[in-house]
Amino acid sequence: MSAGELSELAERVAGWARDGEQVEAFVARGRDTEIQVYSGEVESLSSAESAGIGIRVVAGGRQGFAYAGSLAADVVEETLAEARDNAGFASPDEWVGLAVPDGVVAADLDLWRDDLAAFATADKVSLALDLEKAVRAGDPRIRQVESAEWGDGAYESAIATSTGIRAAWRRTVCYVSAQAVAGEGSETQTASGYSVGRGPGDIDLAKAASDAVERSTRLLGATKPRSGHLTVVFEPRITATLLALIAGTLDGEAVLKGRSLFGDRLGQAVAAPSLTLVDDPTDPDAYGATAYDAEGLATRRNALIEGGVLEKFLYNTYSARRAGTVSTASAVRAGFKSGPGTGARALSVLPGATGPDEILASVGDGLLVQSVSGLHSGVNPVSGDFSVGAEGMLIEGGAIGRPVRELTIASTLQRMLQDIVAIGNDIERLPSSATGVTLAIADVSMSGA
Amino acid sequence: MIERVLARALRSGGDFAEVFAEDRRSSAARLDDGRVEDMVSGRDRGAGIRVVVGETTGFAHTSDLSERGLTEAAEAAGAAARSAAGGVHEISLRRVDAPAPNGVDVLPESVGKATKVGLLARADEAARQAGSAVRQVSAVYGDSRRRILVANSDGVLASDDQVKTRFAISVVASGDTGMQTGRESIGHTVGFELFDRYRVEDLAAEAAGRALAKLRARPAPSGSVPIVIKRGSGGILFHEACGHGLEADHIAKDVSVFAGKVGEQVASPLVTLIDDGTMGPEWGAYAIDDEGHPAARNVLIDKGVLTDYMWDWLRARKDGRAGTGNGRRETYQHLPMVRMTNTYLANGTEDPDEIIRQTPHGVYVAQLGGGQVNTATGDFVFGMTEAYLIENGELTEPLRDANLIGNGPQALLDIDAVGDDFAMGGPGTCGKQGQGVPVGTGQPTLRVKAMTVGGTAR
């Protein structure tokens, strides 16, 4: 099925709407390749195409949804019937409804690389093998490369509604990644390195290898630190994770339902004055860039926090209607198997004036965090409690000191935003819904021995 | 037809070929903010084909279950495995049967949608009646029926019909100190009769009680203290502290702290750890694993001594030994891996109340959230979502949510008390390399001599 056929199918299904009924069809198709190598040989090679459809029906203020992992004509018809039937069991809600065209012009984004489809499997295998070799050769203390892989995907989506929405978009992505295992004596440390792009030309194999080597070896000798309160400095990867968590609390639907810890803070200072946080999916350099949101509205730049003041929440069509505002085109969905939720796609902060080294020098004594664990169990987006496992290096006398592990760092999301003391100028594009930058936060609890 | 497809997969060479076909139907309904927001139905059907040549596995999948679709996928998988030598393979299939872990009385597909939705409204009402500070309630009902068929060039032919039903409720309460959350869930490998055994009103009251109790919670301690873990949800401790480290793929690559330790004392003599896929009606149970082999009860640690790892077919075949029925995959679009099923600590002999009384100072964890482990270092975390301070052998103040961190091998040795009140916990989803599969965990009340609590108390 060609890209045009995806749109045609979506339009055909939307056209089946009965009187007094709204129908939305979201059709997606993806092609993925994943190659894992181990010890100089291909361990596995998977290649497959998959497609599916998600159909939403709204009738009488009630919404129903059904999906199927097939685009066969009989399956599509059955899926629509199922969505229609499901709608009858939802509670009526006057705000439920599909998106309608709002006149915003979609950004002209080129997120598709034809040279990815032309890139031979043998070349992908070579890159993965080269990466494994480079990591092994990177340092005599590299004991093992747990996995080295190449992955790529080409994704096409189309959406149509009986309310007039017509949109189609596509993107390619590829990456290499390696998980390095460094060892000395009976001690082992691990770290990953990766490089991500839209086409093969974006891949930086040397950086992926050196990141994995440096980040695993520098943890060797790590010990459990003593508990205390100190300033933590997040590496760009960790900052990106934190920004995504913060944006999750700014979901307009959570606000309406009394579940956002910033729900009553619009217009107030919620962060240090140095923080400006923007979600801009029209930025072509952002990994999460897209011209349309998951309801088919053109995406737009949304400034969420400016100079520390909370300016905006993120809305999809439903939550915007209910809040009496307009959608920020922030509908997201996890493929064709779910209806639209709300979320940020391309967060970034206004960079500061100083580099990471200057930030370490200004902090003097603290903790540089290189990785965190237990995010899903340790961050409560409703209460704001934040407590995660961490690894990294102590900051001693303004420079990187001895490595530490088996510790947690804890605060609350509310306090961490207020306690930001430095933002770096080292913008790092990451395969995430947020851009990374070095960030220093004061007065965080570190629990260890 | 399957025999022809397997032969085609091996036509240009290969040691092993496998077809995994799956037909999965699911339904779910979600209530939030006092309204049934939507009812969702899903249908997935397709096959994954795996071809192994030497050290290399080729894999392809298709949603086209016709002979043509399967043949194309078989050729793609065979080509992916970059076969070296050609050859003619004749395959004759033998059926593998295994008893279902338990019967299913009421297939969810036979139950009206109105009845399923009705559970949500009942739970919502019960949670809101638990206290005036309850501000928000969300609840989810879900069921799935997954029928699988596995056939491979070793002649294995097996099928399974896996029915699961679950219910979860989350409550937000609000007070002077901000908002707090409470959650409770139940899920079994059974049909709609789940709700003959569990009342959704009771689950709602549990969840609401947790949120309300935490409104007067103080920050958790920061640092190393003794931990007593209530029976049930604490099984996640073993899932993270050593379960993942006992998966044969981590062992084969020497990225587990438990590699090379079979026969050694790796835990306190109080620890007997079992992974049991036959344990109906628990969340991680099945008759046949996703490589066509019967589920089994495997003792991993016996009185502190490591007895065996968990195996899938591929790793077991390389080592020339039997598998343990732990080869699982999320869907037909995924390659199988070594995965846990229902992992639990066997009963001890102590009175659980006595364990608390004999702990002068520490933290009592009544409900655990998820966790995560680095198998190479053994460092693991898990979250506490209901916890209390222990002072002079008694539970005193409730504590705010925090993670705990420990090192697997050390935590296993530090277990110094195990109760006689074994129970399984709620349904879990275990994530590994991007694949989620349903798992169960369980344990009696136990104490760990020292673990680091990641709170903010000064």
Side-chain angles (χ1 to χ4, degrees):
Chain A
M1 194 173 270
S2 73
E5 286 170 313
L6 292 183
S7 294
E8 277 169 33
L9 174 59
E11 285 175 32
R12 193 156 65 241
V13 174
W16 290 335
R18 297 170 178 165
D19 283 348
E21 184 184 81
Q22 296 181 342
V23 173
E24 171 191 77
F26 176 81
V27 186
R29 182 177 55 182
R31 199 171 55 237
D32 293 279
T33 301
E34 191 180 289
I35 298 166
Q36 295 198 316
V37 304
Y38 179 68
S39 282
E41 297 206 52
V42 177
E43 185 178 32
S44 70
L45 193 161
S46 308
S47 177
E49 200 173 294
S50 55
I53 184 167
I55 300 178
R56 199 155 51 123
V57 173
V58 179
R62 300 166 192 258
Q63 171 174 305
F65 182 79
Y67 72 84
S70 163
L71 299 182
D74 58 328
V75 175
V76 170
E77 280 175 40
E78 186 192 321
T79 306
L80 173 62
E82 194 61 32
R84 201 169 256 154
D85 189 53
N86 284 343
F89 296 93
S91 313
D93 183 342
E94 60 182 309
W95 309 113
V96 161
L98 305 180
V100 293
D102 63 359
V104 176
V105 177
D108 184 14
L109 300 178
D110 178 19
L111 309 175
W112 182 273
R113 300 287 178 272
D114 283 323
D115 60 349
L116 183 61
F119 198 54
T121 303
D123 293 333
K124 299 173 184 177
V125 169
S126 300
L127 277 179
L129 290 170
D130 288 350
L131 176 61
E132 188 190 37
K133 216 180 292 173
V135 173
R136 282 186 191 277
D139 191 293
R141 293 168 296 172
I142 296 294
R143 191 175 270 173
Q144 180 77 277
V145 182
E146 184 178 351
S147 69
E149 72 183 65
W150 162 278
D152 66 67
Y155 308 102
E156 297 166 275
S157 308
I159 189 168
T161 69
S162 58
T163 55
I165 293 286
R166 297 282 182 275
W169 60 96
R170 60 181 195 162
R171 68 189 175 95
T172 53
V173 60
C174 60
Y175 66 90
V176 292
S177 76
Q179 181 79 13
V181 181
E184 233 170 13
S186 63
E187 190 199 352
T188 299
Q189 297 295 340
T190 64
S192 65
Y194 52 78
S195 174
V196 178
R198 302 199 194 281
D202 301 333
I203 297 297
D204 186 345
L205 205 71
K207 172 148 195 332
S210 63
D211 268 5
V213 171
E214 190 191 328
R215 296 167 70 86
S216 58
T217 52
R218 72 181 181 179
L219 284 175
L220 287 169
T223 55
K224 187 169 180 156
R226 292 176 49 131
S227 302
H229 287 78
L230 75 184
T231 298
V232 298
V233 176
F234 287 157
E235 288 199 329
R237 290 187 196 186
I238 311 301
T239 302
T241 302
L242 177 69
L243 296 181
L245 289 167
I246 299 288
T249 68
L250 303 180
D251 171 358
E253 191 162 329
V255 173
L256 288 165
K257 292 177 175 173
R259 212 177 260 134
S260 166
L261 51 93
F262 296 113
D264 54 1
R265 304 293 306 278
L266 207 60
Q268 298 178 20
V270 297
S274 58
L275 187 77
T276 289
L277 177 66
V278 174
D279 182 39
D280 186 7
T282 68
D283 174 2
D285 293 331
Y287 178 78
T290 176
Y292 296 96
D293 81 345
E295 290 183 298
L297 292 176
T299 53
R300 51 213 77 173
R301 180 182 188 276
N302 293 301
L304 304 176
I305 297 173
E306 283 192 275
V309 176
L310 180 58
E311 293 292 343
K312 196 183 257 189
F313 297 115
L314 295 170
Y315 292 101
N316 62 13
T317 296
Y318 167 77
S319 55
R321 271 193 196 141
R322 189 169 153 186
T325 180
V326 293
S327 174
T328 55
S330 302
V332 293
R333 46 175 119 204
F336 60 84
K337 295 188 183 182
S338 77
T342 314
R345 298 169 181 278
L347 294 161
S348 63
V349 299
L350 196 67
T354 50
D357 291 343
E358 292 160 275
I359 289 177
L360 295 182
S362 70
V363 165
D365 294 302
L367 172 72
L368 176 63
V369 180
Q370 131 165 2
S371 75
V372 292
S373 62
L375 284 164
H376 59 303
S377 62
V379 183
N380 185 323
V382 175
S383 69
D385 285 326
F386 178 97
S387 166
V388 299
E391 294 174 329
M393 282 70 56
L394 293 178
I395 304 167
E396 295 164 326
I400 292 181
R402 63 194 170 86
V404 286
R405 53 166 272 270
E406 204 187 329
L407 63 106
T408 63
I409 50 174
S411 181
T412 63
L413 293 174
Q414 299 95 313
R415 280 188 42 201
M416 290 167 82
L417 282 178
Q418 299 280 6
D419 290 342
I420 292 172
V421 289
I423 299 174
N425 60 9
D426 53 336
I427 291 290
E428 189 175 329
R429 299 288 179 179
L430 296 166
S432 148
S433 63
T435 298
V437 67
T438 296
L439 188 74
I441 297 177
D443 203 25
V444 170
S445 301
M446 176 169 75
S447 303
Chain B
M1 173 177 111
I2 290 170
E3 291 169 356
R4 284 198 297 275
V5 171
L6 290 171
R8 178 63 74 98
L10 294 177
R11 192 175 60 169
S12 52
D15 309 327
F16 175 81
E18 170 196 74
V19 176
F20 173 86
E22 178 179 46
D23 184 348
R24 184 190 157 92
R25 284 175 185 269
S26 63
S27 83
R30 186 166 52 107
L31 175 142
D32 194 7
D33 201 24
R35 276 189 292 267
V36 179
E37 291 202 325
D38 54 12
M39 175 112 208
V40 172
S41 317
R43 175 88 194 264
D44 285 290
R45 195 173 58 171
I49 295 187
R50 178 161 67 138
V51 177
V52 178
V53 184
E55 297 293 309
T56 301
T57 297
F59 182 67
H61 60 79
T62 177
S63 58
D64 180 358
L65 289 181
S66 69
E67 181 157 359
R68 195 177 129 232
L70 290 175
T71 302
E72 280 175 14
E75 287 184 341
R82 288 193 308 146
S83 45
V88 176
H89 290 257
E90 282 191 21
I91 292 148
S92 66
L93 298 173
R94 298 177 308 278
R95 200 162 171 90
V96 176
D97 283 312
N102 53 271
V104 172
D105 298 337
V106 185
L107 278 177
E109 65 209 45
S110 71
V111 176
K113 290 176 182 173
T115 306
K116 296 174 181 176
V117 164
L119 295 170
L120 298 171
R122 278 168 46 199
D124 184 53
E125 193 184 334
R128 289 179 191 275
Q129 278 173 0
S132 58
V134 169
R135 288 296 144 78
Q136 197 50 278
V137 179
S138 68
V140 178
Y141 162 87
D143 62 57
S144 67
R145 183 173 189 187
R146 177 182 191 244
R147 280 176 287 188
I148 62 167
L149 181 145
V150 194
N152 68 34
S153 57
D154 290 350
V156 167
L157 173 64
S159 60
D160 198 7
D161 187 348
Q162 299 161 357
V163 174
K164 293 189 192 289
T165 303
R166 68 188 163 89
F167 191 91
I169 180 163
S170 297
V171 174
V172 176
S174 182
D176 298 338
T177 56
M179 292 184 288
Q180 284 294 347
T181 56
R183 188 169 191 279
E184 182 62 19
S185 60
I186 185 71
H188 278 167
T189 304
V190 299
F192 205 74
E193 69 270 23
L194 179 70
F195 302 103
D196 297 339
R197 295 174 208 164
Y198 296 91
R199 290 178 64 235
V200 295
E201 288 83 355
D202 297 341
L203 304 174
E206 281 279 327
R210 283 194 179 108
L212 293 168
K214 277 194 279 185
L215 288 178
R216 47 186 183 84
R218 55 183 265 179
S222 165
S224 183
V225 296
I227 306 289
V228 178
I229 304 176
K230 185 182 175 179
R231 68 181 190 155
S233 69
I236 188 80
L237 170 86
F238 295 93
H239 181 102
E240 305 296 352
C242 64
H244 281 294
L246 298 177
E247 294 166 341
D249 47 353
H250 295 306
I251 301 297
K253 291 188 174 179
D254 197 20
V255 286
S256 166
V257 282
F258 295 100
K261 298 214 165 142
V262 169
E264 289 181 25
Q265 188 86 29
V266 297
S268 146
L270 301 172
V271 172
T272 290
L273 187 72
I274 297 155
D275 182 82
D276 187 356
T278 70
M279 192 182 194
E282 293 304 328
W283 192 237
Y286 47 80
I288 295 285
D289 78 359
D290 298 332
E291 297 181 302
H293 300 286
R297 177 182 187 274
N298 299 297
V299 177
L300 306 173
I301 296 175
D302 187 12
K303 298 187 181 69
V305 176
L306 180 58
T307 49
D308 197 2
Y309 305 118
M310 288 168 280
W311 300 80
D312 61 0
W313 172 86
L314 189 66
R315 247 66 49 167
R317 186 174 180 261
K318 273 185 191 161
D319 274 44
R321 56 158 287 160
T324 56
N326 288 92
R328 305 182 67 187
R329 52 181 126 202
E330 183 177 319
T331 72
Y332 73 89
Q333 301 185 352
H334 298 91
L335 273 167
M337 285 187 281
V338 191
R339 304 302 296 264
M340 285 176 259
T341 62
N342 302 298
T343 313
Y344 63 92
L345 177 75
N347 239 341
T349 56
E350 294 183 54
D351 175 356
D353 294 334
E354 196 55 33
I355 295 175
I356 297 169
R357 272 196 293 274
Q358 291 181 0
T359 307
H361 173 77
V363 167
Y364 179 75
V365 185
Q367 190 193 38
L368 286 177
Q372 190 179 342
V373 64
N374 178 336
T375 59
T377 64
D379 287 351
F380 71 101
V381 293
F382 57 80
M384 49 189 208
T385 50
E386 182 187 2
Y388 303 87
L389 208 56
I390 304 175
E391 292 172 302
N392 302 315
E394 282 180 25
L395 304 191
T396 57
E397 292 180 78
L399 300 173
R400 294 180 71 107
D401 291 356
N403 258 325
L404 288 95
I405 192 162
N407 184 261
Q410 191 59 45
L412 292 182
L413 292 169
D414 282 349
I415 291 169
D416 65 357
V418 176
D420 60 2
D421 57 342
F422 174 83
M424 289 296 284
T429 299
C430 167
K432 179 175 172 184
Q433 291 169 32
Q435 292 192 44
V437 297
V439 295
T441 59
Q443 111 290 0
T445 295
L446 64 87
R447 183 173 61 206
V448 187
K449 223 158 41 183
M451 275 195 79
T452 297
V453 181
T456 58
R458 285 171 191 263

